[in-house]
Amino acid sequence: MGAKSRTLLAWSLWLATLGCLAGGLVVTLLVTRPVTADVLVDGAFDGAIWLLFATVGLVLTLRRPENPIGWLYAAAGLVWTVYVPWDPWVDQLLEAGRPLPPAARLAALAGDSLWAVGLLLAVTLPLLLLPDGRLRSRRWRVVAVAAVAGTAIEVLAWSASSEPMTQTIRPVAKPFALGGWAGEAATTVSWIGWAVLFASVPAAALCAVLRFRASRGVERQQLRWVVAGAAAAAAGPLLIPLGVLGLVPPDTFALPMLLSVPVAIAVAVLPYRLWDLDRLVSRTVTYALVTALLVIPYLLVVPTASKLVEGSGSLAVAAATLTVSALFQPLRRRVQQLVDRRFNRRRYDATRTVEGFATRLRDQVDLDALNAELQAVVDQTMQPTRASLWLRSAP
């Protein structure tokens, strides 16, 4: 496929995904009564997640068209949204108790089964192909083939199963359901495909872990971003208590769980600013610790202080604010040093090396020794492939 054809295909997949989401919005406004803010917010939340997958796929396919991960994400975004324009219509028919026409039953079946295809495209295969788009070895072809076969078996057998659809607001018979023993057999086969599909996910994750352990250089930095994305996704459930308390929207925990990994994979595959990960982690940990160190005393001291300064007017509030501001920067610098020593060791060692060189520089008078020491410091901190020092002679 030529460059123009690849670009046209990449934009076509993204525009098709966007068109499906826009179609879902139009159909929702036409058939849903009443159109509440909750309906629109929930639809926008789901649509933003699907569109992000499609956008990540678009960026990767345009910048790294030889890497199949971008095409997988682009296809996953379209697969997850192809039934969106039909979904509000189907729900409205079911809520009204009306029978579903054949087109509505097909749309309901797509929504009931295409999630498995999206899981294959957006999770299993990218984990197997990270970060260069190739399998770690030929032995991992078994996992890839099993994942594809399990998905195909699950979708086809579930479409012929006698069990009703489960993703609709009430049970609906499938348009291609088989009766009798054939339908029961299809149900059993679909569960086998489901088991193979989900067993391939941890196997693909194991492949990524083994690749990370054996990686070096740039590939290791790429996979470190993926690990960071997976850690952020695993930390998503920690936001659930905040949602229960009403401090954040209830579905906020789903954002890092669903979006961290594709964004991290996009950074890894491009690759772009890979070595900023240490700085990002250290800054995140630093400000989290500083926030905790400020919030905890605030919660303990403010009730008492408010009683002491009661009636003092805004002057006491301003003085307290200035005091906190004055204490914040020294506290932040101290915590930053501690965090860099643990999470960003390269930056910490480089800073210590430069500080030591600056101290010795005041006592150094031998130009040759200064030249050698300066190049040694540059080599330790910057690690260039070559370095030389040019000194301008006096006029």
Side-chain angles (χ1 to χ4, degrees), residues 278-297 325 327-340 343 347:
D278 292 334
R279 183 180 181 86
L280 177 63
V281 171
S282 66
R283 285 293 186 269
T284 301
V285 175
T286 296
Y287 283 103
L289 291 176
V290 169
T291 302
L293 291 174
L294 290 176
V295 169
I296 293 175
S325 177
L327 294 175
F328 177 77
Q329 290 301 327
L331 176 63
R332 187 198 64 80
R333 285 193 292 269
R334 179 58 180 166
V335 173
Q336 183 70 66
Q337 293 175 356
L338 295 175
V339 173
D340 282 342
F343 293 97
R347 177 181 182 275

Side-chain angles (χ1 to χ4, degrees), residues 212-225:
F212 175 75
R213 293 184 60 183
S215 62
R216 297 291 184 273
V218 174
E219 184 182 49
R220 188 170 186 83
Q221 285 297 126
Q222 291 175 290
L223 294 174
R224 286 185 67 198
W225 272 96

Side-chain angles (χ1 to χ4, degrees), residues 91-239:
D91 289 344
Q92 194 67 18
L93 291 175
L94 292 176
E95 288 179 356
R98 299 169 57 186
L100 296 183
R105 296 177 67 190
L106 287 174
L109 180 62
D112 203 60
S113 57
L114 288 182
W115 63 268
V117 180
L119 179 65
L120 171 72
L121 297 175
V123 178
T124 308
L125 293 181
L127 286 175
L128 288 171
L129 298 175
L130 283 173
D132 55 2
R134 294 189 292 269
L135 293 172
R136 186 167 182 263
S137 65
R138 292 184 176 181
R139 289 177 293 183
W140 291 98
R141 290 181 181 178
V142 177
V143 179
V145 171
V148 174
T151 302
I153 292 172
E154 200 281 333
V155 171
L156 296 176
W158 180 250
S159 300
S161 169
S162 58
E163 294 290 326
M165 289 182 272
T166 59
Q167 300 299 315
T168 52
I169 59 177
R170 63 179 176 85
V172 177
K174 301 186 184 72
F176 307 113
L178 301 177
W181 66 268
E184 297 296 331
T187 301
T188 303
V189 172
S190 70
W191 281 106
I192 295 175
W194 184 89
V196 173
L197 169 62
F198 274 87
S200 64
V201 174
L206 176 62
C207 176
V209 171
L210 294 177
R211 193 191 290 262
F212 175 75
R213 293 184 60 183
S215 62
R216 297 291 184 273
V218 174
E219 184 182 49
R220 188 170 186 83
Q221 285 297 126
Q222 291 175 290
L223 294 174
R224 286 185 67 198
W225 272 96
V226 180
V227 172
L238 297 178
L239 297 175

Side-chain angles (χ1 to χ4, degrees), residues 17 25 39 53 131 150 159 169 203 228 244 279 355 364:
T17 302
L25 175 60
V39 172
F53 274 90
S159 300
I169 59 177
V244 174
R279 183 180 181 86
E355 290 176 351
Q364 185 61 262

